[in-house]
Amino acid sequence: MPSLSEPTSADTPVLGFSVSHQKVELDIDLPNRSLKARTEITINPHSEDLQLIRLNCRQSSITRVTVNGKPPQPRIFDPYSRARLPWKAGVHQYHMLQQKVGEHLKNPPAEELEIWVPKTVKITALDPSSEEAQSALVAKSLGESKRESLDGSSSAADLTQSAKAGIDQIARFTPVTIVIDTVVKHIRDGMHFVGWEEGDLRYPHAFTLISPSPGSACCLFPCIDGHATRCTWEISIKCQKTLGDALSPPVMDRIQMDGSNGSSTGANGIHGGATNRDDRGCSFSDEDKALDLTVVCTGDTTDEILDPRDPTKKTTSFICTTPISAQHVGFAIGPFEHADLAEFRESEEEERLGQNAVPVHGYCLPGRLEELRNTCLPMAKAIDFFTEKYGSYPFSDYKLCFVDDVPRDVLDTGSLSICSNRLLFPEDIIEPLDRVTRQLVHALAAQWMGINIIPKTDSDAWVVVGIAYFMTDSFTRVLSGNNAYRYNQKRAADRVVELDVDRPSLVDTGSLIALDPLELEFMELKAPLIMFILDRRVTKAGNSTGLSRIIYRICLNAKVGDLANGAIDSQSFIRVSEKLGHLKLDTFFTQWVEGAGCPKFRVTQRFNKKKLVVEMMVQQVQSENVKDRDLESATFMRDVKEEQNAVYAGTTQPAFAGPMTIRIHEADGTPYEHIVEIKDMKTTFEIPYNTKYKRLKRNRRPKDKTMPTAGADYDGAGADEPLINCLGDVLNTEEEETAWRMAHWSKEDEDKMNQESYEWIRMDADFEWICKMTVQMPAYMFVSQLRQDRDVVAQLESIQFMALVNPHELVSTELVRTVMDERYFHGIRTAAADVLTRNAGNETNWAGKFHLEKVFQHFYCYDDSQMTKSNDFSSRTSFYIQCAIVNAIAKIRDPAGKSPFSVRNFLYEKLKFNDNSNNEFSDCHYLATLMRALTEAIAARPPPRAQVFDDFDHDDGGDDEHFHTTCLEEIDRYRRMDEWIPSYHNILSTTALDCTRILIHSSVVPNRPADFLQYTAEGTSDHLRLSAFSNLLALGLAKNPAILRWFLFVLGNDPSPYIREHLIRILGRTLGAIAIGEHTEAAKSQESQVDSLIIEQEASTTARAAYLARKQTVLGALNALKDELSLNQTLKTELWNAITSTTISLHQMGELLEICDLLYTPETTMVLAFKYPRYWSCRHLSRGKLLFTANGRIRTTPMAKPRPLLAAPATQPSLMGIKKEHGGQMAPPKLIFKPKKPVVPTQGTGSVSPGAAGSSGGSREGSVEGGSRPKLKLMFGKSKIGGGQGSPTP
């Protein structure tokens, strides 16, 4: 199949024409999932010799085509009709199907419709000064209905002038109008229907499916489906008027039933459906049937009229005068409720904006209006913020429509965001607030950057993605404050440093977005950070507005037409940045955008008393100690696709260059900033020392000082007097220090601190680098930084340093003071609570454990009692701290790596006695945190009956089998409760399933697949179904034929594209886990926890090399994957059934074909079936053509059964001698749910050698598959019998 990573640009493909305007009329039959379309496309030829017009058109039947009123000879190559092999094929013929659809999976895809221009259509050069030509082109660009509605206003003149300005550049020849009538009898892709199936009780609705790569819009109407082709649009959508009309038989059907004359077909020419509609209508009340069907579409609504021929239908018309591509045209139809989100504007803002205020509308299904208002509360404020800071909104209004089964959370279209109902949350839910708000604000920012302005080439995608998220984060900074903004940026920078290893550069990543979803996720993480550090550097250069001014200029250039086709490239962005930022940025973009990787600094410093300078050395060590990265199941498919498409890691620069701000807090507490230029791998410099006073003692506590308020943002302004112990100055009385077991600095440490000439040194104080910084300073300097530096990034760096030092009581003391001080930002307090876990062991006399429990008791329990108070989540900070402490306590381990009984008892009591009766907010997320924490603690200690040599732990008073069972019952109690009173997104049930998987992995509970399978049926919550499938396959049950068959059936036939997309990802993670041997390691871990002693021989050098190849190389992992699964007959059959399903989309078919490419060797064969007993003859017609004919002879005697052939060599296994019933393998075990009676496996899960596969005789019992010799094992006690989970070691 052609590479998916081929670069595209806004100048390609070379079609020989450009589209100036497109008019689409859709007649949609909602119950039958069909439509009729009439498309009128106005093109501007680029030469007089235009003979062939190529368009994208899929899954449609063409009924009529005209070119300037003349009938041409069209030819269509529909990929959906070609996406099958017309014989009994299998997975080994995947390449033949791949060749048929490969051209349509490229970016941009191959055009399916070819129209030859009739010879009677003349194309002549157009005089651009001709007024008639200009008027005609303006009419085509604006649309008749829009021009009539403007009524000669000033806006009409401006719009006409701008349209003429754009037309002057492209209209050089006579425009050509193409009219195409199409019919889609069954919509398979491009549009999704919800609630129309029998038994689906959701409100029926439908919406367009927009994919990041082209190929979705052309499934509904002919067009040029690519982001480079942009034009103005007129759209008319005809559908039923009310929900009852859609569920009732069509008017023509009722006329026929009454015996009147008329057509026997419905509005779309498809018979039947009336009976099913009547049955479906019985599920709704009369009130529901009276609900009007609302059409929400890209552009402005011009009119809505009833059909004069059918009063049950209506036509809604829209017009979009902003040129956009076909893949940014979308609509939704359903019984939506409407909310005017502009009412959330403050009265002062409303008066100030006046008529310039952009209307904001929200649409949702009945019953969810309050959730819509709560979720979209900040959207009006966001659009006002963007309009003022980045220029006018490119459309006249903005709409958000929430629907079911959306594959991604947000589908971006022009002036309309089709959002998933999964984003909606009520007022009593806290956890998704920040995450969902950022997603919705980014959907709004995409209207500026992503729809109105597009990347010129795929390599320029980082510009659009980065700016859109920079705009998003700028607004969330207004909502959440500067602390949250900088904290999130620091977390993202640390994540980029972790991920940006052996990856292509950001420029090259743009062409890989269609390759795997993880490529886009990485770009969405790194590109905004590059914009952030660019903003920091531009701001320091003297531009107070920073990057905002650059973005404003880019939007202005797009508005006035300076950006050709509204497309921006990297060079244009660099030029604007340099011009407005007044600095050269070539080096910046070369190393951060065109280069790969991130710098890692190692900083050493020394104070020279003679010179009164601080001598510093900064080394870049990113090229040192580079280790081979182990493969991960979550990213396995991305690694494989990059390997197959020859995607190579970018070159990591040995030395990054740029300015760095160093801030030295000297002895008098005054910070002095110094800017140094980093150029080489090793940079040394001297920084002058300014303070002449004696260093202030650390233990001094000022009597009068102004303390910052809780979570106050740091604005950079310092007080006249030095601040000592500005933060964390709590628990200082003797009684408190004794009660909290506070540790003190030793006399030696105090002497060292008194001799230091400065408090601490802060590297990259202005946050201008995405890097890992290792500063060699004493621990007490990091403590000073944590306490006295108000910058949240500096505080987080101190916490991260404490996570790396050896456990100590002093570290625990400083961390608990951080958690207790409510003036710290909540992210710093939660990070401190997490690090306290490292100091909660026996090395510190369990100081961290004591402090965590003490903090929880102080904030959330009654005085002098361990009984928790009723939950109070009115403070989000308190909620985050409460969850963080629970997670931290759950990670505490004793020297043997087990969870102490006191920890498990603590978590059990908090879960059992949780009280939410007086809380106005839901506690479902807190309960899920407690359930998961208790599960992890239980999993870290085997059940009491398995403890043979663990009688020396004196902490286990009361830790018996009864307590163990009680904990499991408490977790299951919340799962059962969730079945009667569903929680938000069924989070309690999904958490219970995750807990069950963790306990099974630890051999705490038996593996009962039925516990998960009950949640996989259609009709269950999507979150529950995906969680159940994910946990089933994570347990290694993909090798169970029954479960594998059911999983692949759902993957290929489930009507929800959201379910199918995520099941494909789950399948990819499962293949990755099998390839790198995760399930084998899990089986070994379970064996080690059984009440038996296992002594194993050391692995040989060859086995070790094979193990490393499997864990670290893609080729080694693929070989292991083929050995494991290539002969699995169930996988072959069901995977091919999923590929040939008529439910999945073409893109999903392509992903499944890529999986076949990983597992199977292609075989160019064709199996033909002939009817017996007649004789057939074959004749070769040349050029690969064979002619089979039946003659008059008839077979009268039975034919002898052919003898099986011998097995082929090991490199090419033959399937000729395999038994028909089991495919050469032993009979697969049946799915039996009897956990108390383990099933003795009849077949191992190791790889089967070709010789064993071809053999049909011999005893099966006691045979060892895979050809490897088992390890020597000595077992004492009763050994546990596995269920086919283990496999021989490599």
Side-chain angles (χ1 to χ4, degrees):
M1 188 178 71
S3 173
L4 294 175
S5 58
E6 296 178 3
T8 61
S9 69
D11 300 327
T12 58
V14 181
L15 301 172
F17 63 89
S18 58
V19 180
S20 62
H21 183 71
Q22 185 159 348
K23 182 177 180 180
V24 179
E25 299 176 1
L26 300 177
D27 185 356
I28 303 177
D29 188 354
L30 294 171
N32 291 321
R33 299 168 183 79
S34 62
L35 63 81
K36 288 182 177 180
R38 166 165 289 189
T39 304
E40 180 181 317
I41 305 176
T42 302
I43 66 173
N44 293 318
H46 293 171
S47 68
E48 299 178 354
D49 302 328
L50 180 63
Q51 297 180 353
L52 180 62
I53 299 173
R54 294 187 175 93
L55 301 174
N56 296 110
C57 183
R58 298 181 179 180
Q59 74 179 8
S60 301
S61 300
I62 297 179
T63 58
R64 179 173 172 268
V65 180
T66 61
V67 178
N68 282 357
K70 309 294 183 181
Q73 294 295 328
R75 186 171 60 171
I76 188 170
F77 305 92
D78 184 19
Y80 290 92
S81 61
R82 295 161 52 91
R84 60 186 181 89
L85 298 179
W87 66 86
K88 189 178 180 180
V91 289
H92 290 283
Q93 287 76 48
Y94 73 89
H95 64 293
M96 304 176 72
L97 183 58
Q98 213 170 35
Q99 293 173 356
K100 300 181 69 173
V101 301
E103 290 294 321
H104 306 282
L105 294 173
K106 294 192 305 183
N107 185 15
E111 293 80 16
E112 296 85 9
L113 178 59
E114 294 182 352
I115 301 175
W116 291 91
V117 179
K119 296 182 179 180
T120 55
V121 175
K122 302 297 182 181
I123 300 176
T124 59
L126 187 65
D127 184 6
S129 61
S130 172
E131 185 65 27
E132 293 79 10
Q134 290 287 347
S135 300
L137 293 175
V138 169
K140 294 297 183 182
S141 299
L142 299 181
E144 296 293 340
S145 59
K146 181 66 178 179
R147 292 195 298 115
E148 293 175 0
S149 63
L150 292 174
D151 294 330
S153 62
S154 59
S155 59
D158 297 339
L159 196 58
T160 304
Q161 185 64 32
S162 62
K164 287 183 178 180
I167 291 169
D168 287 340
Q169 302 175 5
I170 58 177
R172 295 176 295 169
F173 299 92
T174 306
V176 176
T177 302
I178 308 167
V179 179
I180 308 172
D181 293 343
T182 57
V183 174
V184 183
K185 295 183 179 179
H186 177 73
I187 299 178
R188 175 177 174 178
D189 205 357
M191 189 173 178
H192 182 57
F193 298 82
V194 181
W196 302 98
E197 292 283 348
E198 189 68 27
D200 193 345
L201 300 182
R202 293 177 293 180
Y203 282 100
H205 58 283
F207 57 91
T208 52
L209 291 175
I210 307 298
S211 62
S213 56
S216 57
C218 60
C219 294
L220 303 180
F221 51 84
C223 60
I224 298 297
D225 200 346
H227 71 275
T229 302
R230 293 149 59 89
C231 65
T232 55
W233 294 81
E234 284 184 85
I235 305 170
S236 298
I237 299 176
K238 183 178 180 180
C239 64
Q240 285 79 7
K241 182 177 180 295
T242 65
L243 184 60
D245 295 334
L247 298 174
S248 301
V251 173
M252 293 300 180
D253 289 352
R254 293 198 297 267
I255 294 175
Q256 184 183 11
M257 294 176 189
D258 295 337
S260 305
N261 295 331
S263 173
S264 61
T265 61
N268 67 336
I270 296 180
H271 296 265
T275 303
N276 292 334
R277 295 194 197 182
D278 286 340
D279 296 340
R280 186 74 181 90
C282 297
S283 303
F284 295 91
S285 63
D286 294 337
E287 183 179 356
D288 290 335
K289 293 180 181 180
L291 295 173
D292 288 334
L293 292 180
T294 303
V295 181
V296 187
C297 182
T298 295
D300 305 326
T301 305
T302 56
D303 53 33
E304 180 177 308
I305 59 176
L306 293 177
D307 190 347
R309 300 178 55 187
D310 188 350
T312 64
K313 290 190 174 183
K314 64 178 180 181
T315 302
T316 309
S317 301
F318 305 86
I319 188 169
C320 181
T321 57
T322 302
I324 59 175
S325 61
Q327 65 185 100
H328 290 148
V329 175
F331 59 86
I333 307 172
F336 300 123
E337 294 182 353
H338 171 257
D340 185 6
L341 301 178
E343 66 184 17
F344 292 111
R345 283 194 179 98
E346 297 180 0
S347 57
E348 295 80 3
E349 286 292 318
E350 191 74 30
E351 294 176 0
R352 185 175 61 86
L353 294 173
Q355 295 182 354
N356 295 326
V358 179
V360 184
H361 305 280
Y363 297 89
C364 65
L365 295 173
R368 313 202 68 172
L369 190 59
E370 291 304 319
E371 295 182 14
L372 170 68
R373 293 177 181 272
N374 180 70
T375 305
C376 301
L377 179 65
M379 296 309 295
K381 185 175 182 179
I383 200 169
D384 296 339
F385 176 84
F386 288 159
T387 302
E388 294 178 5
K389 201 163 187 178
Y390 304 114
S392 60
Y393 180 64
F395 304 95
S396 59
D397 64 355
Y398 179 61
K399 303 173 283 289
L400 299 103
C401 185
F402 292 84
V403 294
D404 289 327
D405 291 350
V406 185
R408 304 188 308 279
D409 287 338
V410 178
L411 304 178
D412 296 318
T413 67
S415 74
L416 168 65
S417 294
I418 302 176
C419 308
S420 171
N421 277 332
R422 300 183 297 272
L423 298 180
L424 296 176
F425 60 94
E427 294 181 353
D428 62 341
I429 298 296
I430 299 177
E431 192 274 337
L433 178 60
D434 294 333
R435 171 176 49 84
V436 171
T437 299
R438 188 171 188 263
Q439 287 181 283
L440 295 181
V441 173
H442 174 262
L444 175 61
Q447 300 294 322
W448 275 268
M449 285 289 169
I451 296 178
N452 184 48
I453 298 177
I454 61 175
K456 187 174 183 180
T457 66
D458 287 345
S459 299
D460 306 314
W462 71 273
V463 178
V464 174
V465 172
I467 292 179
Y469 274 101
F470 179 84
M471 295 169 61
T472 302
D473 294 336
S474 298
F475 177 71
T476 56
R477 181 180 188 177
V478 175
L479 290 181
S480 304
N482 191 52
N483 277 344
Y485 175 70
R486 291 178 63 85
Y487 177 83
N488 292 331
Q489 295 294 336
K490 175 58 178 175
R491 287 292 194 186
D494 294 341
R495 183 62 176 162
V496 168
V497 173
E498 179 184 352
L499 293 179
D500 199 0
V501 179
D502 296 334
R503 299 189 71 118
S505 65
L506 205 57
V507 170
D508 297 333
T509 304
S511 60
L512 306 176
I513 292 178
L515 195 66
D516 190 84
L518 294 180
E519 304 288 358
L520 179 59
E521 292 179 10
F522 177 74
M523 178 178 287
E524 292 173 343
L525 183 66
K526 186 176 180 180
L529 275 174
I530 292 178
M531 296 298 175
F532 170 75
I533 62 176
L534 175 62
D535 174 68
R536 302 297 301 167
R537 296 197 179 183
V538 172
T539 302
K540 287 187 63 175
N543 190 343
S544 59
T545 57
L547 189 61
S548 299
R549 183 184 176 191
I550 298 174
I551 299 175
Y552 178 85
R553 176 61 63 87
I554 292 173
C555 294
L556 181 62
N557 292 344
K559 182 179 180 180
V560 300
D562 289 346
L563 289 180
N565 199 29
I568 186 172
D569 59 356
S570 301
Q571 295 303 319
S572 299
F573 177 72
I574 294 174
R575 284 195 301 269
V576 175
S577 300
E578 290 180 340
K579 180 179 179 181
L580 300 181
H582 307 291
L583 73 166
K584 300 296 289 184
L585 297 171
D586 293 340
T587 303
F588 178 86
F589 288 103
T590 298
Q591 61 190 11
W592 291 110
V593 179
E594 298 177 5
C598 296
K600 296 180 180 180
F601 295 107
R602 184 166 59 226
V603 183
T604 57
Q605 43 76 30
R606 186 178 68 90
F607 180 69
N608 191 324
K609 293 183 179 180
K610 293 182 178 180
K611 297 182 179 180
L612 285 180
V613 295
V614 179
E615 299 174 346
M616 303 192 68
M617 181 175 65
V618 179
Q619 294 177 285
Q620 300 192 38
V621 295
Q622 57 266 20
S623 301
E624 298 179 4
N625 300 326
V626 180
K627 299 180 180 179
D628 293 332
R629 180 177 61 92
D630 288 344
L631 298 176
E632 300 178 3
S633 59
T635 60
F636 175 74
M637 292 303 298
R638 175 183 67 83
D639 293 330
V640 170
K641 292 176 182 178
E642 289 182 352
E643 183 78 14
Q644 291 182 334
N645 288 270
V647 177
Y648 301 105
T651 303
T652 302
Q653 300 183 62
F656 285 74
M660 179 179 292
T661 302
I662 301 176
R663 182 181 298 157
I664 300 181
H665 293 256
E666 297 188 1
D668 63 347
T670 304
Y672 293 91
E673 289 191 354
H674 309 271
I675 299 177
V676 298
E677 192 71 22
I678 305 296
K679 296 181 179 179
D680 304 319
M681 294 182 61
K682 183 178 180 180
T683 305
T684 58
F685 47 86
E686 296 179 347
I687 297 178
Y689 190 72
N690 299 281
T691 303
K692 298 181 180 180
Y693 301 100
K694 186 178 179 180
R695 186 180 183 275
L696 299 177
K697 290 186 178 181
R698 185 176 308 276
N699 57 1
R700 172 185 155 195
R701 301 186 185 96
K703 297 180 180 179
D704 299 323
K705 57 185 176 182
T706 303
M707 305 301 293
T709 58
D713 291 338
Y714 171 63
D715 56 3
D720 294 336
E721 296 183 357
L723 292 176
I724 302 177
N725 300 339
C726 175
L727 295 171
D729 190 15
V730 296
L731 305 177
N732 289 322
T733 64
E734 293 184 2
E735 295 80 5
E736 290 174 335
E737 289 183 349
T738 302
W740 286 77
R741 290 169 47 183
M742 293 297 183
H744 299 277
W745 295 97
S746 65
K747 186 66 170 62
E748 295 180 356
D749 292 333
E750 289 284 353
D751 294 339
K752 290 181 180 179
M753 288 187 284
N754 290 331
Q755 294 174 3
E756 293 291 350
S757 301
Y758 47 84
E759 292 282 343
W760 73 92
I761 298 178
R762 176 84 190 285
M763 302 297 297
D764 189 23
D766 288 337
F767 201 170
E768 302 174 68
W769 293 76
I770 306 172
C771 64
K772 180 180 179 181
M773 187 77 65
T774 303
V775 183
Q776 296 182 2
M777 287 193 309
Y780 48 77
M781 289 191 177
F782 283 99
V783 173
S784 297
Q785 179 174 307
L786 174 62
R787 285 194 166 196
Q788 300 180 45
D789 201 322
R790 294 184 181 180
D791 187 3
V792 68
V793 176
Q795 297 166 5
L796 183 59
E797 289 174 351
S798 298
I799 298 292
Q800 292 172 341
F801 169 80
M802 295 181 184
L804 301 176
V805 299
N806 295 327
H808 198 279
E809 293 182 7
L810 275 172
V811 177
S812 181
T813 298
E814 296 299 332
L815 290 174
V816 73
R817 281 183 168 141
T818 304
V819 178
M820 286 294 296
D821 194 342
E822 299 183 21
R823 295 167 297 177
Y824 278 106
F825 176 64
H826 68 79
I828 301 300
R829 298 174 65 192
T830 55
D834 185 64
V835 178
L836 268 172
T837 304
R838 286 182 46 83
N839 300 272
N842 196 29
E843 308 92 341
T844 61
N845 195 21
W846 305 97
K849 174 177 174 292
F850 172 80
H851 286 152
L852 285 171
E853 294 177 349
K854 189 73 173 176
V855 171
F856 192 93
Q857 191 274 335
H858 175 81
F859 284 120
Y860 309 110
C861 297
Y862 293 103
D863 295 339
D864 301 327
S865 173
Q866 296 297 325
M867 179 59 65
T868 56
K869 302 176 184 177
S870 178
N871 293 330
D872 182 10
F873 298 155
S874 57
S875 171
R876 291 177 59 205
T877 297
S878 177
F879 168 75
Y880 293 142
I881 300 301
Q882 189 170 357
C883 294
I885 294 175
V886 169
N887 286 326
I889 292 177
K891 299 175 183 177
I892 297 176
R893 300 291 182 266
D894 60 16
K898 301 176 182 178
S899 175
F901 169 73
S902 58
V903 168
R904 286 173 283 140
N905 187 58
F906 174 88
L907 297 172
Y908 167 72
E909 290 181 350
K910 299 304 174 284
L911 181 62
K912 180 179 180 180
F913 298 110
N914 177 70
D915 179 16
N916 204 59
S917 57
N918 299 322
N919 190 14
E920 61 178 338
F921 297 96
S922 171
D923 64 343
C924 59
H925 286 91
Y926 175 62
L927 285 174
T929 302
L930 282 171
M931 293 168 62
R932 188 174 289 105
L934 179 58
T935 300
E936 292 176 354
I938 295 174
R941 184 178 184 88
R945 60 180 179 274
Q947 299 171 12
V948 179
F949 303 105
D950 198 25
D951 297 332
F952 303 102
D953 191 350
H954 301 287
D955 184 45
D956 288 3
D959 186 11
D960 53 12
E961 188 172 351
H962 174 71
F963 173 78
H964 178 81
T965 305
T966 304
C967 293
L968 300 181
E969 290 177 350
E970 189 65 23
I971 295 174
D972 192 63
R973 182 173 72 89
Y974 283 100
R975 180 194 61 82
R976 297 194 308 270
M977 186 185 303
D978 193 48
E979 295 179 355
W980 294 97
I981 307 175
S983 58
Y984 175 74
H985 288 176
N986 292 107
I987 187 174
L988 296 183
S989 295
T990 55
T991 303
L993 294 179
D994 294 338
C995 293
T996 304
R997 171 183 51 81
I998 295 173
L999 295 174
I1000 292 174
H1001 271 308
S1002 302
S1003 301
V1004 176
V1005 298
N1007 190 353
R1008 293 188 293 263
D1011 294 343
F1012 301 95
L1013 286 172
Q1014 61 180 333
Y1015 294 106
T1016 61
E1018 186 177 357
T1020 311
S1021 166
D1022 289 347
H1023 302 86
L1024 267 176
R1025 296 184 70 193
L1026 293 176
S1027 177
F1029 276 122
S1030 178
N1031 285 298
L1032 271 173
L1033 270 62
L1035 291 171
L1037 294 176
K1039 296 181 180 179
N1040 186 301
I1043 293 178
L1044 180 61
R1045 186 180 298 111
W1046 169 241
F1047 173 83
L1048 292 175
F1049 174 81
V1050 175
L1051 187 152
N1053 296 276
D1054 195 273
S1056 171
Y1058 173 73
I1059 294 292
R1060 297 196 304 267
E1061 287 284 347
H1062 282 74
L1063 288 184
I1064 291 177
R1065 293 195 182 187
I1066 292 173
L1067 178 60
R1069 290 198 300 268
T1070 303
L1071 295 177
I1074 296 174
I1076 64 179
E1078 282 187 2
H1079 296 159
T1080 304
E1081 295 176 356
K1084 291 181 180 179
S1085 176
Q1086 291 180 9
E1087 287 183 358
S1088 65
Q1089 298 184 22
V1090 183
D1091 53 341
S1092 57
L1093 178 63
I1094 301 177
I1095 303 176
E1096 298 184 353
Q1097 292 178 338
E1098 294 183 359
S1100 64
T1101 305
T1102 306
R1104 177 63 179 171
Y1107 174 80
L1108 291 178
R1110 183 175 189 174
K1111 297 288 290 185
Q1112 296 180 351
T1113 65
V1114 174
L1115 182 59
L1118 287 179
N1119 291 335
L1121 182 64
K1122 291 181 180 180
D1123 291 341
E1124 294 271 358
L1125 298 177
S1126 60
L1127 296 179
N1128 189 318
Q1129 195 61 37
T1130 302
L1131 179 61
K1132 289 183 177 182
T1133 303
E1134 300 305 326
L1135 181 58
W1136 188 251
N1137 290 339
I1139 291 174
T1140 56
S1141 171
T1142 58
T1143 302
I1144 64 174
S1145 66
L1146 196 66
H1147 177 71
Q1148 292 168 348
M1149 177 186 292
E1151 291 188 353
L1152 294 180
L1153 289 173
E1154 290 180 351
I1155 292 177
C1156 290
D1157 193 24
L1158 306 181
L1159 298 175
Y1160 306 112
T1161 302
E1163 298 178 1
T1164 308
T1165 59
M1166 178 184 296
V1167 179
L1168 301 179
F1170 301 99
K1171 293 183 178 180
Y1172 281 169
R1174 190 174 299 276
Y1175 280 88
W1176 293 77
S1177 59
C1178 176
R1179 185 162 57 95
H1180 186 214
L1181 300 181
S1182 74
R1183 294 186 178 181
K1185 294 183 180 180
L1186 300 177
L1187 176 62
F1188 293 87
T1189 56
N1191 53 35
R1193 297 181 54 194
I1194 297 178
R1195 189 183 305 277
T1196 58
T1197 58
M1199 185 176 180
K1201 184 177 274 189
R1203 297 180 60 184
L1205 300 177
L1206 295 177
T1211 56
Q1212 296 290 337
S1214 174
L1215 302 181
M1216 298 299 295
I1218 295 178
K1219 277 194 173 183
K1220 182 177 180 181
E1221 57 270 22
H1222 299 307
Q1225 302 183 49
M1226 290 179 287
K1230 296 182 179 179
L1231 187 61
I1232 303 176
F1233 303 124
K1234 292 183 180 180
K1236 295 183 179 181
K1237 298 180 180 180
V1239 181
V1240 180
T1242 59
Q1243 174 191 1
T1245 57
S1247 61
V1248 182
S1249 64
S1255 175
S1256 59
S1259 175
R1260 299 183 184 272
E1261 299 180 1
S1263 62
V1264 179
E1265 297 180 331
S1268 61
R1269 188 171 183 176
K1271 296 182 179 180
L1272 175 62
K1273 298 183 180 180
L1274 299 178
M1275 298 189 178
F1276 300 90
K1278 184 179 179 181
S1279 61
K1280 184 176 180 180
I1281 300 177
Q1285 298 296 322
S1287 62
T1289 56

